Amino acid sequence: MPTFINRFLNRLTDHLDGPLLVIAGLLLLIGTATVYSATYTTLSRVPSQILNIATAFAVMWVVARTQPTTLMRFAVPLYVIGLVLLVLVFLFGVKVNGARRWLSIGFTRIQPSEIMKIAMPLMLAWYFHKHEAALRFKHYVVAALILIVPFGLIAKQPDLGTAILVGAAGFFVIFFAGLSWKVLVGLLVAGGSALPFLWNVLHDYQRKRILTLLDPSSDPLGAGYHIIQSTIAIGSGGPLGKGWLNGTQTHLEFIPERHTDFIFAVFSEEWGLLGNIVLLVLYFFLVGRGLVIATNAPTLFSRLLAAAVTGLFFTCAFVNMGMVAGILPVVGVPLPFMSYGGTALVTFALGLGILMSIQSHRMLVKK
Amino acid sequence: MPHDFASQDREQSQFRFRLGFAGVAVLLCFTLLFIRFFYLQVLQHDYYATRAEDNRISLIPIMPNRGLILDANGVVMARNYSAFTLEIIPSKSGDLDETIDALAAIIDIQPRDRRRFKKLLDESKNFESIPIRTKLTDEEVARFAANRYRFPGVEVKARLFRQYPQGPLGAHAIGYINRINAKDVDWIEENEQSANYKGTEHIGKTGLEQHYEFDLHGVTGYEQVEVDAGGRAIRTLARTAPIPGNNLTLTLDAKLQEVAEKAFGNRRGSLVAIEPSTGGILALVSTPTFDPNLFVDGIDPQSWKELNESLDKPMVNRALNGAYPPGSTFKPFMALAALETGKRTPGQAIADPGFFNFGGHQFRDDKKGGHGMVDMYKSITQSCDTYYYMLANDMGIDNIAAFMKQLGLGQATGIDIAGESVGVLPSPEWKKRRFKRPEQQKWFAGETISIGIGQGYNAYTPLQLALATATLANNGVMYKPHLVKYITDTRTGEKRLIEPKPLRTLPFKQQNIDTIKHAMVGVNKEGTGARAFAGAAYESGGKTGTAQVFSLKGGNYKESATHERLRDHALFIAFAPADKPRIALVVLVENGGFGAQSAAPIARQVLDYYLVGKEAKGPAAEDASGEESADVH
């Protein structure tokens, strides 16, 4: 083979991580097939999803080639921008259906809470990295503040799904940075006893969702409807599923968001327990690979960042599947690489790129 | 700083321990999911399979009635009625052309119906049912019922239709609804209304129907039905009633609107009438207009083409989207600017020789030989150009632009109809943005001169001019223009008032405002508007205007010789009664010639009706090519 082609191929792939690429590729393949199944009778979303995938790949490729030290430089500005935008949303955001999540910037709307999914772990990892030599209790307090302010702003919008993801990403950093177990248990106990108070703070629709979770049949046409229908879809799928494009439940019935947050119901009905096992294994490998990358990472910053990004993938997958299967409350969380949607896909690709960057620049740093 | 290797090692091993802990937690969580899946898909599979296959529960959406639109006095502008439609489900019927031909043998199907069906077919999904004929007669329903067995996939359905009983009256304000298309679907999803629009086929496309879509739509109800494996409904399990859409009551007065539209006769143009003390729009005219009823059951391509390609552009909302130079109606605002910035006093007079020389160019007044000595009062009543050439030159473009911006000229007004144009408030910054090449971007002092008489780059929507006039009439307090007075919740009967919102209070001296108003009253008493307002039962203020569309070189302008479409636009702004204005308006007649001649008489008819209930016999303006031009303008 001519050397320039070799060199080109090398350059194209030298910072990509094989295992991650294969797992994400398989998930995207399954995801696109499922998006097709969910939407081909109405308005097929596949062409625009393919466009989303191309964008996401480009983002991943660029980030993977970027040095972790460069990524670190983005931590503070990205976080500050995200925070300012969140405050702007709080003050002037566009209200849609009672939730103030968007900023109108002339031709389009942006959802600043999305930025925080990545900005939060970057910021916290940078913060701990900076104080690496002597981490004291006060640093954890500051870190908690860095976490709580945007979390509160997003929860207030209200966007429980995104708030949970941002909170989880931040929490993973603090946990892996070595937050004392005693404090952790203390927080857990305190959190438990604060539940009644929290209940009062929640919005009506959020309370309704939690109550519905405990007894879906209490509101079969309203909030409980999603869960009833999605569990029927999953359950009727059986061990082997009804086959691709044959999920009568999801096609004929009224499952809103069946190509986005509830895509797993479509998949599970058509591929059954067998398909679900494949999916669980793929996500487990994805998380496992992330943890391996975190273990091998040379600096505190890259360790924490890798661990947090991995945690984000896990949280999304677990919360989404748990919600659709009716063991977790219904909150808007996308299923990584499966749900339709450009923003979510780009965010996940960014996470992949960060993991690849940390993995591929590992040796350089050690030298 | 000495590196603490021992602590770093400790830290690393602690990190690894925590990663391991996390790995175990992940495994546990996934195991939990697996157990749940196993429970649902293996242990409970039979139960769920039964629920899914044999006793599928289906939700059938029940459409809410769309809210009504009523004028200020309760006249119905938009309502619903039920009618039978003949519909085809393409996926269930055989060859479409054959089916339609066979149907045509028993039911009257016009070529227009076929064209519309084709168009709807292109836009829709295959399993949807698409109307081929709407509003069937009872006899036709019966005839189809007898032949039903011959037509699989064809059925008669009772549907609610939107109807605009006033027809074309106020169509640009009311807007219309039409079938939902892919763009609307995206919009609905973006607003998280997908569930609520399940089963809805129509959506507001323009005007109030669009702006208040979610209010008018209501909440879709559901019937929970048990269906068998074939999808047939067996019995109803539960029913959630739909909540009808809310009714809109407008500030618009349908009768006034009718008087105004009639006054235009066959002329093209626009009229916007505002209640100055609230910003409520009393009439919003854009002529020629169109019949919104055409759109409701899907307009056929030929009618659409006719509407769209007409030279008269009936689909364009001239009141919001037409941008015209204000001509001399700009002068009262210029005069106010002069007083507020101290560039002129009311008594200061200039000698008008009939022209103004600037930089080697002669800016001419329309009156040969000039108006003689002209003070501010006379400059407005006689519409003296020279006075304003000089004034504009003295003020400078930046001062003019800053002042006019306060009055809302060249700005979006925020009216409750989408898509208003912003027009052009000329300034050096605007020119820089507007043009690409550097040599085009420079502002020339000469350009400022024609801005002073409302020409040049000036371009405002009739709505903006009406708002500025209303603000002047209301002594500087500007209210956001709006068409809806209140929204009635159809369930509780509660009325949600659209509060008149003071947008801003302009810091003008009352004395200066009074000076301008006095001069505008003079226009209708003894000036260019006097002829149109002779014998009026009330005192009013006004200002005529003529906006150049085309300038003939040589200046020997003979109106009748110019092609009708190149003739000047006629404008008129007015408020009345003069002491406590209840109405302010702008009239624009496209290619109407002089403002005094075609626009002012329209204003007179509208004010006569609104203030003293007097109705005119015929239109105030008719296209009358070749008519002698009036001596005032």
Side-chain angles (χ1 to χ4, degrees):
Chain A
M1 202 167 357
T3 49
F4 70 93
I5 291 184
N6 254 331
R7 219 178 304 145
F8 174 77
L9 281 178
N10 269 337
R11 228 178 122 63
L12 193 68
T13 57
D14 56 358
H15 286 272
L16 301 182
D17 182 67
L20 283 182
L21 207 59
V22 169
I23 297 165
L26 284 172
L27 284 170
L28 283 172
L29 205 68
I30 297 172
T32 309
T34 314
V35 167
Y36 178 79
S37 177
T39 60
Y40 79 103
T41 49
T42 51
L43 187 67
S44 178
R45 301 283 177 166
V46 168
S48 71
Q49 180 71 346
I50 286 173
L51 211 69
N52 291 338
I53 291 175
T55 316
F57 184 85
V59 168
M60 181 195 77
W61 189 80
V62 170
V63 176
R65 300 185 69 78
T66 312
Q67 297 259 7
T69 47
T70 312
L71 290 177
M72 192 150 70
R73 262 186 251 132
F74 281 103
V76 178
L78 205 61
Y79 178 83
V80 171
I81 291 169
L83 196 60
V84 169
L85 289 178
L86 280 177
V87 171
L88 287 180
V89 167
F90 182 70
L91 296 176
F92 318 104
V94 186
K95 208 165 190 175
V96 175
N97 261 15
R100 207 182 284 280
R101 294 176 190 170
W102 291 271
L103 264 188
S104 193
I105 47 165
F107 59 98
T108 184
R109 288 179 187 167
I110 53 171
Q111 194 178 342
S113 52
E114 282 294 325
I115 299 177
M116 270 296 159
K117 284 187 195 167
I118 295 296
M120 176 64 73
L122 267 179
M123 174 72 189
L124 284 172
W126 168 84
Y127 178 76
F128 284 116
H129 184 84
K130 210 180 93 185
H131 299 284
E132 180 176 12
L135 272 180
R136 302 210 195 298
F137 184 68
K138 67 166 185 189
H139 293 121
Y140 292 98
V141 176
V142 174
L145 280 178
I146 293 176
L147 174 64
I148 285 169
V149 175
F151 175 83
L153 284 171
I154 299 171
K156 183 97 185 97
Q157 287 178 353
D159 184 353
L160 207 52
T162 313
I164 285 173
L165 294 184
V166 170
F171 169 79
F172 291 134
V173 181
I174 299 177
F175 170 73
F176 287 115
L179 180 66
S180 134
W181 291 101
K182 275 182 219 154
V183 176
L184 210 59
V185 173
L187 279 178
L188 224 60
V189 173
S193 49
L195 272 183
F197 169 74
L198 212 64
W199 182 254
N200 290 323
V201 181
L202 287 180
H203 284 258
D204 270 352
Y205 90 98
Q206 290 165 332
R207 283 187 214 168
K208 204 167 162 190
R209 281 184 175 182
I210 292 171
L211 282 181
T212 307
L213 171 78
L214 300 175
D215 180 18
S217 56
S218 68
D219 184 14
L221 287 176
Y225 182 74
H226 286 35
I227 301 173
I228 293 177
Q229 292 302 323
S230 64
T231 34
I232 293 178
I234 296 174
S236 67
L240 299 174
K242 298 174 184 170
W244 191 48
L245 304 184
N246 285 332
T248 52
Q249 182 70 13
T250 37
H251 289 149
L252 295 178
E253 299 300 320
F254 180 38
I255 291 196
E257 300 154 55
R258 63 172 185 247
H259 61 291
T260 55
D261 286 354
F262 276 76
I263 188 96
F264 178 66
V266 180
F267 175 82
S268 190
E269 183 182 12
E270 296 186 347
W271 300 96
L273 185 63
L274 195 70
N276 288 354
I277 292 171
V278 170
L279 214 55
L280 281 178
V281 167
L282 282 174
Y283 282 122
F284 188 72
F285 279 156
L286 181 73
V287 173
R289 180 67 186 160
L291 292 179
V292 167
I293 290 174
T295 316
N296 295 335
T299 65
L300 182 61
F301 171 76
S302 47
R303 275 202 296 277
L304 292 181
L305 186 59
V309 167
T310 307
L312 195 64
F313 281 128
F314 162 72
T315 311
C316 281
F318 178 65
V319 172
N320 182 286
M321 287 190 282
M323 149 187 111
V324 178
I327 53 171
L328 290 176
V330 176
V331 286
V333 169
L335 187 58
F337 307 111
M338 295 272 292
S339 289
Y340 169 84
T343 318
L345 203 55
V346 166
T347 308
F348 290 128
L350 213 70
L352 269 193
I354 287 174
L355 286 179
M356 291 181 179
S357 155
I358 290 170
Q359 173 70 1
S360 70
H361 294 92
R362 172 172 50 112
M363 293 308 174
L364 296 172
V365 177
K366 269 191 177 161
K367 270 179 216 159
Chain B
M1 193 169 66
H3 214 97
D4 188 347
F5 286 103
S7 113
Q8 210 189 14
D9 273 354
R10 185 146 30 85
E11 191 195 278
Q12 280 236 21
S13 71
Q14 181 198 329
F15 179 75
R16 287 204 173 147
F17 173 73
R18 288 194 180 213
L19 274 186
F21 176 82
V24 173
V26 168
L27 196 62
L28 277 176
C29 285
F30 278 8
T31 310
L32 189 66
L33 282 180
F34 172 78
I35 293 170
R36 175 69 176 170
F37 298 153
F38 187 82
Y39 171 78
L40 290 177
Q41 300 188 306
V42 177
L43 302 183
Q44 296 281 313
H45 171 60
D46 289 344
Y47 168 71
Y48 285 113
T50 313
R51 278 193 75 174
E53 290 304 324
D54 299 334
N55 278 316
R56 238 183 338 232
I57 291 162
S58 171
L59 286 187
I60 296 168
I62 310 168
M63 290 305 93
N65 282 2
R66 197 172 171 85
L68 307 179
I69 302 179
L70 310 163
D71 92 327
N73 303 312
V75 175
V76 178
M77 306 299 284
R79 67 175 173 209
N80 316 299
Y81 73 99
S82 177
F84 289 111
T85 66
L86 186 66
E87 307 192 357
I88 303 179
I89 303 170
S91 62
K92 285 191 189 166
S93 75
D95 183 88
L96 283 177
D97 286 325
E98 265 173 40
T99 305
I100 296 172
D101 286 342
L103 280 171
I106 53 168
I107 283 167
D108 177 31
I109 292 173
Q110 296 291 322
R112 180 181 174 276
D113 296 319
R114 287 180 190 251
R115 283 196 298 268
R116 187 190 55 197
F117 180 82
K118 286 267 154 59
K119 183 164 160 266
L120 292 176
L121 184 67
D122 290 342
E123 291 166 359
S124 67
K125 309 148 200 161
N126 224 26
F127 56 83
E128 262 180 27
S129 90
I130 300 170
I132 172 80
R133 246 298 300 279
T134 53
K135 298 165 206 164
L136 297 180
T137 63
D138 287 346
E139 202 198 319
E140 285 175 318
V141 173
R143 229 180 301 150
F144 175 76
N147 288 283
R148 199 199 160 124
Y149 65 94
R150 287 168 47 203
F151 299 104
V154 182
E155 52 192 343
V156 167
K157 279 189 182 165
R159 293 217 183 243
L160 275 181
F161 282 91
R162 195 65 159 171
Q163 191 194 27
Y164 303 98
Q166 311 300 324
L169 188 72
H172 285 101
I174 307 299
Y176 55 82
I177 64 168
N178 202 342
R179 286 177 75 94
I180 292 176
N181 62 25
K183 218 171 103 196
D184 300 322
V185 170
D186 285 345
W187 182 73
I188 289 167
E189 279 186 7
E190 203 179 311
N191 285 284
E192 299 183 27
Q193 290 281 338
S194 303
N196 198 31
Y197 274 74
K198 196 85 191 167
T200 300
E201 290 182 331
H202 292 87
I203 195 165
K205 294 282 184 175
T206 64
L208 294 165
E209 289 274 32
Q210 178 194 35
H211 189 89
Y212 292 94
E213 171 62 30
F214 291 143
D215 267 304
L216 290 166
H217 180 271
V219 181
T220 300
Y222 289 100
E223 204 166 33
Q224 196 179 16
V225 181
E226 212 174 275
V227 290
D228 64 15
R232 278 176 295 271
I234 299 167
R235 64 192 171 110
T236 301
L237 298 175
R239 189 173 188 275
T240 309
I243 300 171
N246 298 330
N247 294 344
L248 304 182
T249 301
L250 309 184
T251 56
L252 189 122
D253 178 334
K255 185 66 201 176
L256 183 72
Q257 176 84 19
E258 190 188 329
V259 167
E261 287 189 13
K262 271 200 185 137
F264 271 87
N266 58 3
R267 304 305 302 246
R268 297 180 306 281
S270 171
L271 177 145
V272 179
I274 298 183
E275 186 176 43
S277 58
T278 61
I281 304 270
L282 303 169
L284 187 125
V285 176
S286 175
T287 59
T289 174
F290 61 92
D291 186 356
N293 289 306
L294 281 177
F295 290 87
V296 173
D297 31 333
I299 189 167
D300 73 288
Q302 195 171 331
S303 308
W304 173 244
K305 210 175 141 192
E306 276 166 23
L307 276 176
N308 242 350
E309 290 177 2
S310 161
L311 213 55
D312 288 342
K313 303 216 174 310
M315 296 307 295
V316 171
N317 188 345
R318 290 170 159 83
L320 269 67
N321 295 116
Y324 307 87
S328 299
T329 62
F330 202 50
K331 287 172 181 168
F333 305 112
M334 280 296 291
L336 183 60
L339 294 174
E340 285 293 325
T341 54
K343 294 282 181 199
R344 292 286 186 278
T345 62
Q348 220 173 339
I350 58 133
D352 169 23
F355 57 84
F356 174 64
N357 278 325
F358 182 84
H361 184 80
Q362 195 172 64
F363 291 87
R364 241 172 311 168
D365 200 300
D366 276 290
K367 190 169 176 183
K368 271 200 186 128
H371 294 270
M373 291 304 285
V374 179
D375 64 358
M376 183 169 280
Y377 180 83
K378 194 175 169 191
S379 79
I380 291 178
T381 56
Q382 298 302 319
S383 202
C384 168
D385 287 345
T386 311
Y387 185 94
Y388 289 95
Y389 291 142
M390 287 178 169
L391 176 58
N393 192 39
D394 286 353
M395 281 192 70
I397 187 63
D398 290 326
N399 285 330
I400 297 174
F403 186 86
M404 297 304 163
K405 191 176 174 185
Q406 301 178 72
L407 282 167
L409 294 175
Q411 324 283 317
T413 64
I415 191 176
D416 43 1
I417 296 183
E420 60 170 319
S421 306
V422 290
V424 174
L425 174 62
S427 70
E429 289 78 51
W430 166 80
K431 214 180 169 195
K432 222 170 264 170
R433 268 183 285 122
R434 168 69 180 73
F435 293 104
K436 277 195 194 104
R437 294 213 302 278
E439 66 269 24
Q440 294 173 314
Q441 290 180 330
K442 193 177 153 9
W443 185 270
F444 297 101
E447 290 174 329
T448 308
I449 314 260
S450 28
I451 297 295
I453 59 157
Q455 297 288 346
Y457 296 117
N458 275 311
Y460 307 118
T461 66
L463 176 64
Q464 287 168 356
L465 271 177
L467 178 61
T469 308
T471 308
L472 180 69
N474 201 36
N475 298 327
V477 185
M478 180 185 279
Y479 280 93
K480 186 170 170 173
H482 58 272
L483 279 151
V484 171
K485 196 190 289 172
Y486 55 82
I487 300 172
T488 312
D489 188 313
T490 30
R491 249 187 329 169
T492 62
E494 193 186 319
K495 287 175 182 171
R496 183 153 36 97
L497 197 67
I498 305 291
E499 289 291 340
K501 252 195 220 150
L503 280 176
R504 58 193 111 147
T505 302
L506 301 176
F508 300 152
K509 281 207 196 78
Q510 189 60 41
Q511 194 193 337
N512 292 343
I513 291 177
D514 290 342
T515 302
I516 303 301
K517 281 188 178 175
H518 175 66
M520 287 176 72
V521 170
V523 169
N524 286 1
K525 240 191 232 159
E526 49 177 328
T528 51
R531 199 201 246 191
F533 280 88
Y538 48 86
E539 202 176 44
S540 61
K543 180 70 194 83
T544 55
T546 305
Q548 266 173 34
V549 174
F550 185 72
S551 78
L552 284 173
K553 291 225 171 85
N556 199 0
Y557 176 66
K558 253 257 186 296
E559 186 191 322
S560 50
T562 313
H563 188 283
E564 199 265 341
R565 304 242 170 207
L566 300 176
R567 249 188 268 164
D568 294 346
H569 296 325
L571 289 110
F572 193 71
I573 59 172
F575 59 84
D579 52 339
K580 208 163 186 282
R582 285 163 50 207
I583 179 169
L585 57 80
V586 59
V587 178
L588 174 125
V589 182
E590 280 186 11
N591 315 116
F594 293 127
Q597 182 192 332
S598 55
I602 295 177
R604 169 75 191 266
Q605 288 197 355
V606 171
L607 293 182
D608 270 1
Y609 174 75
Y610 193 68
L611 297 172
V612 292
K614 198 174 131 196
E615 258 188 87
K617 298 230 164 55
E622 290 266 21
D623 191 352
S625 305
E627 183 193 322
E628 281 303 302
S629 69
D631 53 352
V632 287
H633 67 104

